[in-house]
Amino acid sequence: QKEVEQNSGPLSVPEGAIASLNCTYSDRGSQSFFWYRQYSGKSPELIMFIYSNGDKEDGRFTAQLNKASQYVSLLIRDSQPSDSATYLCAVTTGVDTGFQKLVFGTGTRLLVSP
Amino acid sequence: DAGVIQSPRHEVTEMGQEVTLRCKPISGHDYLFWYRQTMMRGLELLIYFNNNVPIDDSGMPEDRFSAKMPNASFSTLKIQPSEPRDSAVYFCASSLGAGVVTNEKLFFGSGTQLSVL
């Protein structure tokens, strides 16, 4: 089982719609969860992080975390063509060993059509 | 700040040759990470350093790969000898901290596109 799993997509949504991106992780001890956005040919950039169960909102982005289900999601409201990118879910693992590291999923490609 | 600086941006080499990738982290960041990205496997952590000391190199694929951080402002990732399956984008990233209560935001360099023929 992969440590962090995402559907590769592409996820296609029309402009103005809500895009929902999902991620599951295997390490029950994981404490920190991140969403990175990566445009084609560019490096990843952090857009959201969440530590506690529930929702965290930042502008058009909402991160949702459910530790019991080992599930984290990212909602993008009022999607824009400029949101078209690959979204990488990242989770810290190894908390119990004292050597934490950030493990990335393979990403979900989002396409927002005008 | 100029951000994380990687060189070269592109490297094309022949199988069997030595390849050296370079990275300058953001000043003041005490963690440095080397990642490799491929379509099939995504972003894989190869090795990371804390205060110039290698902490976890379990992601280094094999003995052909080695990484050093001689000082706080410079790191290298070396592949010797290189093989076609090493072709990927190699990212260097730095951060202020890797603990739960500290800022874990990774700042990535622009990456090195490596092609081994």
Side-chain angles (χ1 to χ4, degrees):
Chain A
Q1 180 188 7
K2 290 183 179 178
E3 293 180 277
V4 181
E5 298 210 42
Q6 297 181 255
N7 187 316
S8 61
L11 173 66
S12 296
V13 299
E15 184 175 356
I18 296 175
S20 178
L21 305 162
N22 305 313
C23 170
T24 58
Y25 59 94
S26 61
D27 184 353
R28 285 197 169 275
S30 295
Q31 300 184 13
S32 307
F33 309 86
F34 304 81
W35 284 99
Y36 282 77
R37 177 177 62 199
Q38 186 175 25
Y39 291 112
S40 180
K42 302 296 184 182
S43 56
E45 56 177 337
L46 180 68
I47 53 172
M48 288 285 291
F49 61 90
I50 186 167
Y51 298 147
S52 304
N53 275 329
D55 295 0
K56 179 181 179 183
E57 187 174 317
D58 183 1
R60 296 186 296 112
F61 299 97
T62 299
Q64 300 175 314
L65 175 62
N66 183 326
K67 290 186 178 180
S69 300
Q70 295 175 246
Y71 176 92
V72 59
S73 64
L74 178 70
L75 301 179
I76 306 175
R77 291 182 298 281
D78 188 23
S79 296
Q80 301 297 309
S82 58
D83 294 326
S84 298
T86 296
Y87 289 80
L88 305 172
C89 174
V91 176
T92 54
T93 66
V95 175
D96 55 337
T97 66
F99 294 110
Q100 292 190 82
K101 59 185 180 182
L102 200 59
V103 178
F104 285 80
T106 53
T108 298
R109 187 176 169 212
L110 173 66
L111 296 175
V112 182
S113 55
Chain B
D1 199 316
V4 177
I5 300 173
Q6 289 186 249
S7 64
R9 287 297 307 274
H10 302 274
E11 177 79 36
V12 180
T13 190
E14 293 187 346
M15 182 174 63
Q17 296 298 306
E18 178 180 293
V19 175
T20 300
L21 310 181
R22 297 173 176 79
C23 175
K24 175 180 169 55
I26 293 173
S27 177
H29 282 191
D30 49 7
Y31 283 84
L32 183 140
F33 305 81
W34 281 101
Y35 282 88
R36 176 173 68 176
Q37 187 173 39
T38 60
M39 289 291 292
M40 289 300 296
R41 301 171 69 93
L43 260 175
E44 300 174 280
L45 178 63
L46 300 177
I47 185 171
Y48 77 91
F49 296 83
N50 178 22
N51 293 323
N52 313 338
V53 177
I55 301 300
D56 184 351
D57 66 353
S58 60
M60 296 286 261
E62 49 198 274
D63 292 345
R64 297 185 298 106
F65 286 69
S66 63
K68 294 182 180 179
M69 192 165 185
N71 56 61
S73 59
F74 184 67
S75 177
T76 60
L77 178 68
K78 186 175 293 186
I79 307 173
Q80 166 64 18
S82 58
E83 296 182 4
R85 60 192 168 119
D86 301 330
S87 298
V89 180
Y90 290 80
F91 286 105
C92 176
S94 68
S95 75
L96 281 171
V100 173
V101 296
T102 58
N103 180 6
E104 294 157 292
K105 177 179 179 179
L106 296 186
F107 292 80
F108 284 84
S110 299
T112 295
Q113 175 74 60
L114 174 64
S115 298
V116 183
L117 306 176

